[in-house]
């Protein structure tokens, strides 16, 4: 294996990576390199001979994250580490141990939970509308992942703050019947939570199972630990037994699955559970510019609750970049069109399509954006929607490859075979015209690239082996990165990053979502964290927007999200709404401004400067002090052009200050009071 290059980590990250076997907790904010650090920690433990790679189990939150970790480890020459979701790991283990637990009785994973719960609901004569069944289902899921049985459910509801969707006794009965419907004399149906429950039970209760399992796995790593459920924690405890070789990483401010029963308490209590644990806090955010982290800090700074007590101020380590933008649009359609237009501009500037994402709260919001992107001829992929491996052209391509693999006269090179075989499916030598054909061409190309990558990782792979690997990736939903703009929900964006992020649909009832508003403060805080997760996905460009009405011409009944209150003042809201239609004019001659430099100045460069020289030099003196205190170069605080604009406009309030070119909400939050004070003091 290749020695992991620990010089690619900073000092704090390295301390976590090189800590000897035993409990380690990394409690750190978004983009600080948690995921990167655990990957290096695994590589280092293996490299130092502390553990055999086959004895490591790394648990991540999504199949995609697990796939990525395997890939990164493989790139460091560490093969054989199991990186999986809790469910996938449990499923694999249960398959192995099942005969010892249940003998000959076969089990099967439920493929349609909804219809089974529907049957339970109907058998009870309860409301069987789709929404009602959905409510029952998610309540049962919550109870199971919180380790609450049907019998104890009403008691829990009576004694905690949780509100049941309907009569708790009814929920308990549907829950009970659902459980009964799953077991028949011939076979046992299991849902995802049952997998976890059974594997924990088997390790806890069946002698022999624990022994075999604990011999197999010795070192455990959990990413995104803030979102672990009591049920998952129980599985983790069963895996560990009385051992303590556990590394966890997480960020309590990114807890976004509480509605599922997830709880950051295990993360926050880790050093109480393991007093000898190495605890590392990371603050440096390597993902984002100071402009992005500034906004993120401001947004999460308004949070309340236990996680808020653990707040770490993110320090953006990237070069300064553009201020985040805030825009109100008349309708969803306008919002989508404008976003597509801005994406075209980014593409023209050389930002790659795969480095751009549009993020929203719920899947249903993607539609107008898909339409606008298609109209603009921009390739995109919807994450969590139709997965790569389920696209018709990819299914077809894999069928063609399977047919090809049966031929005798096969050339050796799987890449060459694929390229030749895909010509008839539309893989021409050059990119075709037309959005449909282009998309097809792009995904076939992505498949060829993927095959090339598999072969370069494992040069001895022939076509059947490549097909096996493709199947594994398809099962793990490990889609290749395509040259397309990503559309995803905020939940699906967790852990990921892009150069440019558009956070859209930022209105009340969407973010925070309506049911959270009804449920109260705790749920609203979860929505705020979701917003924070969204903001921290951006490396450089971040655009936030909302539409005041659903469609053009209808009443402007929507309100901007409360999470921007005090960040984007109400006055700026109406200004920004109209700004794009209004040319920016020179404050001296009123002529239209063209270049970015002119726009920052607010006047033509040769139109006479009319600022207050005294204020300008007072602001410069203040800026030097502020830069020294913050240990950053002066221009990071404000550019000269912005100081000039300030000394011309002489703002007297936060709102006026926001109207000055070069001053965004994050800067306002940070320096507004000081700048206003300097201006006031100088003008007397
Ligand atoms: P999240 O909370 O969103 O999951 P994270 O803490 O897991 O974030 P990573 O995804 O590991 O953060 O890292 C964020 C980005 O910063 C990645 O692009 C990573 O490669 C980069 N990065 C991390 N540490 C360093 C470092 N020491 N030097 C340079 N780049 C780094
Ligand atoms: Mg991460």
């Amino acid at each position: 294996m290749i020695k992991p290059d620990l010089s690619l980590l900073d000092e704090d990250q390295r301390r976590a990576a090189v800590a000897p076997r035993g409990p380690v907790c990394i409690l750190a904010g978004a983009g600080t390199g948690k995921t990167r650090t655990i990957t290096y920690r695994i590589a280092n433990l293996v490299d130092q001979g502390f553990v055999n790679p086959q004895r490591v189990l790394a648990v991540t939150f999504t199949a995609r994250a697990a796939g990525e970790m395997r890939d990164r480890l493989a790139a460091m020459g560490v093969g054989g580490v199991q990186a999986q979701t809790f469910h996938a790991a449990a499923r694999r283990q249960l398959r192995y141990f099942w005969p010892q637990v249940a003998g000959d009785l076969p089990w099967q994973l439920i493929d349609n939970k909804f219809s089974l719960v529907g049957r339970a609901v109907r058998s009870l004569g309860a409301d069987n509308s789709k929404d009602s069944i959905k409510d029952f289902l998610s309540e049962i899921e919550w109870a199971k992942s919180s380790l609450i049985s049907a019998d104890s459910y009403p008691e829990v509801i009576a004694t905690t703050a949780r509100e049941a969707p309907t009569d708790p006794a009814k929920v308990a009965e549907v829950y009970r019947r659902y459980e009964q419907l799953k077991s028949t004399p011939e076979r046992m149906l299991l849902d995802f939570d049952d997998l976890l429950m059974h594997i924990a039970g088997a390790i806890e209760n069946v002698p022999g199972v624990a022994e075999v399992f604990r011999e197999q796995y010795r070192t455990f790593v959990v990413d995104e630990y803030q979102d672990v459920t009591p049920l998952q924690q129980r599985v983790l405890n069963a895996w560990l037994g009385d051992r303590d070789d556990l590394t966890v990483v997480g960020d309590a401010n990114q807890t976004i699955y509480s509605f599922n029963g997830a709880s950051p308490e295990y993360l926050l209590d880790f050093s109480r559970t393991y007093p000898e644990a190495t605890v590392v806090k990371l603050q440096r955010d390597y993902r984002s510019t100071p402009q992005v982290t500034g906004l993120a800090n401001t947004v999460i700074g308004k949070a309340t609750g236990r996680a808020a007590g653990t707040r770490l101020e993110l320090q953006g380590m990237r070069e300064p970049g553009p201020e985040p933008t805030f825009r109100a649009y008349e309708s969803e359609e306008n919002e989508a069109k404008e976003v597509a237009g801005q994406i075209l501009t980014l593409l023209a500037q050389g930002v790659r399509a795969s480095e751009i994402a549009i993020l929203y709260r719920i899947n249903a919001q993607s539609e107008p954006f898909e339409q606008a992107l298609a109209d603009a001829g921009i390739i995109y992929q919807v994450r969590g929607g139709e997965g790569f491996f389920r696209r018709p052209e990819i299914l077809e391509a894999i069928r063609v490859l399977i047919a090809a693999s049966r031929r005798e006269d096969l050339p050796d090179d799987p890449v060459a075979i694929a390229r030749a075989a895909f010509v008839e499916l539309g893989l021409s030598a050059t990119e075709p015209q037309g959005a449909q054909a282009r998309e097809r061409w792009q995904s076939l190309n992505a498949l060829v690239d993927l095959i090339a990558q598999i072969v370069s990782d494992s040069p001895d792979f022939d076509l059947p082996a490549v097909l096996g690997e493709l199947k594994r990736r398809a099962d793990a939903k490990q889609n290749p990165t395509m040259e397309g703009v990503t559309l995803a929900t905020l939940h699906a964006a967790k852990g990921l990053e892009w150069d440019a992020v558009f956070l859209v649909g930022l209105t009340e009832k969407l973010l925070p979502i309506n049911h959270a508003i009804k449920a109260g403060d705790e749920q609203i805080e979860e929505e705020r964290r979701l917003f924070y997760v969204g903001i921290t996905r951006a490396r450089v460009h971040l655009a936030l927007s909302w539409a005041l009405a659903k469609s053009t011409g209808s009443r402007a009944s929507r309100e901007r999200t409360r999470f921007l209150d005090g960040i984007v003042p109400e006055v700026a809201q109406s200004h920004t709404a109209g700004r794009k239609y209004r040319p920016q004019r020179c404050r001296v001659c009123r002529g239209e401004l063209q270049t970015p430099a002119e726009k920052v100045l607010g006047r033509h460069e040769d139109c006479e400067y009319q600022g207050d020289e005294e204020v300008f030099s007072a602001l410069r003196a203040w800026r030097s002090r502020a830069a020294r205190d913050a240990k950053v170069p002066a221009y990071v605080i404000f550019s000269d052009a912005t100081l000039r604009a300030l000394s011309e406009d002489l703002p007297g309030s936060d709102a006026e200050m926001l109207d000055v070119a070069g001053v965004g909400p994050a800067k306002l939050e940070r320096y507004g009071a000081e700048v206003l004070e300097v201006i006031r003091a100088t003008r007397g």
Side-chain angles (χ1 to χ4, degrees), residues 379-636:
I379 309 277
Y380 65 87
Q381 51 178 341
V382 183
R383 205 182 277 291
E386 198 62 351
F388 177 81
F389 289 104
R390 295 187 32 211
R391 289 178 175 223
E393 66 270 23
I394 296 302
L395 289 172
E396 218 181 321
I398 289 180
R399 269 197 300 275
V400 167
L401 282 184
I402 292 173
S405 72
R406 300 208 184 93
R407 293 216 323 256
E408 306 261 307
D409 56 333
L410 222 51
D412 282 338
D413 178 10
V415 180
I417 303 171
R419 241 185 238 298
F422 297 167
V423 171
E424 55 166 315
L425 302 179
L427 187 71
S428 47
T430 53
E431 193 168 321
Q433 293 293 314
Q436 293 285 336
R438 252 163 82 191
E439 193 161 338
R440 196 181 168 81
W441 187 87
Q442 297 249 0
S443 53
L444 290 171
N445 242 328
L447 184 57
V448 173
D449 288 349
L450 181 59
I451 294 171
Q453 190 199 323
I454 292 170
V455 173
S456 103
D457 288 348
S458 317
D460 53 331
F461 271 21
D462 57 6
L463 186 57
V466 167
L467 281 166
E469 174 62 15
L470 288 175
K471 174 155 179 14
R472 187 192 67 72
R473 288 182 188 238
D475 291 344
K477 299 201 181 61
Q478 199 183 332
N479 299 337
T481 328
M482 290 235 308
E483 267 312 305
V485 170
T486 299
L487 270 69
T489 62
L490 292 164
H491 281 102
K494 183 169 166 169
L496 308 179
E497 57 189 24
W498 294 270
D499 283 341
V501 169
F502 291 83
L503 296 181
V504 301
L506 298 175
T507 57
E508 287 288 305
K509 298 191 186 171
L510 281 170
L511 192 76
I513 192 93
N514 205 19
H515 56 73
I517 298 174
K518 289 193 192 138
D521 289 351
E522 258 178 63
Q523 262 71 15
I524 290 176
E525 285 308 311
E526 177 134 321
E527 299 285 306
R528 189 196 307 279
R529 294 191 293 269
L530 199 48
F531 186 33
Y532 174 74
V533 167
I535 293 170
T536 53
R537 300 307 98 200
R539 296 198 187 101
V540 180
H541 304 277
L542 177 61
L544 300 91
S545 61
W546 56 95
L548 299 170
K550 175 145 185 77
S551 45
T552 317
S554 63
R555 203 165 61 85
S557 56
R558 298 189 175 179
E559 269 176 74
R560 189 196 65 202
T561 173
R562 68 187 71 190
F563 300 137
L564 289 173
D565 286 356
I567 296 177
V568 183
E570 301 309 314
V571 281
Q573 182 179 347
S574 51
H575 280 204
T576 41
R579 187 169 284 169
K580 67 189 166 64
Y581 304 113
R582 228 190 303 141
Q584 217 178 314
R585 301 203 172 276
C586 172
R587 67 173 96 237
V588 181
C589 75
R590 306 304 300 158
E592 200 171 316
L593 300 176
Q594 306 291 349
T595 70
E598 287 172 354
K599 286 180 182 165
V600 171
L601 274 174
R603 58 177 167 79
H604 295 116
E605 291 188 58
D606 49 7
C607 278
E608 198 187 342
Y609 167 62
Q610 295 183 323
D612 182 323
E613 277 299 346
E614 210 182 326
V615 170
F616 179 65
S617 48
L619 284 173
R620 283 190 67 134
W622 162 80
R623 184 182 63 180
S624 315
R625 284 194 304 276
R628 234 184 352 260
D629 290 350
K631 299 197 180 61
V632 293
Y635 69 85
V636 173

Side-chain angles (χ1 to χ4, degrees), residues 34-35 223-224 287 495:
K34 296 183 294 298
T35 301
D223 198 359
E224 307 272 3
R287 175 179 297 145

Side-chain angles (χ1 to χ4, degrees), residues 51 136 323 331 427 510 614:
V51 65
F136 278 111
E323 287 289 340
S331 65
L427 187 71
L510 281 170
E614 210 182 326

Side-chain angles (χ1 to χ4, degrees), residues 7-11 13 26 28-39 68 72 223-224 226 249-251 254 282 284-288 318 493-497 533 536-537 539:
S7 74
L8 296 174
L9 299 179
D10 73 26
E11 212 178 301
Q13 293 173 333
I26 305 178
T32 52
K34 296 183 294 298
T35 301
R36 178 168 163 135
T37 304
I38 46 175
T39 313
E68 199 158 301
R72 286 205 215 170
D223 198 359
E224 307 272 3
Q226 75 277 2
V249 313
D251 175 6
Q254 292 186 66
L282 309 172
R284 283 176 288 256
D285 178 321
Y286 292 97
R287 175 179 297 145
S288 310
R318 272 180 177 263
K494 183 169 166 169
L496 308 179
E497 57 189 24
V533 167
T536 53
R537 300 307 98 200
R539 296 198 187 101

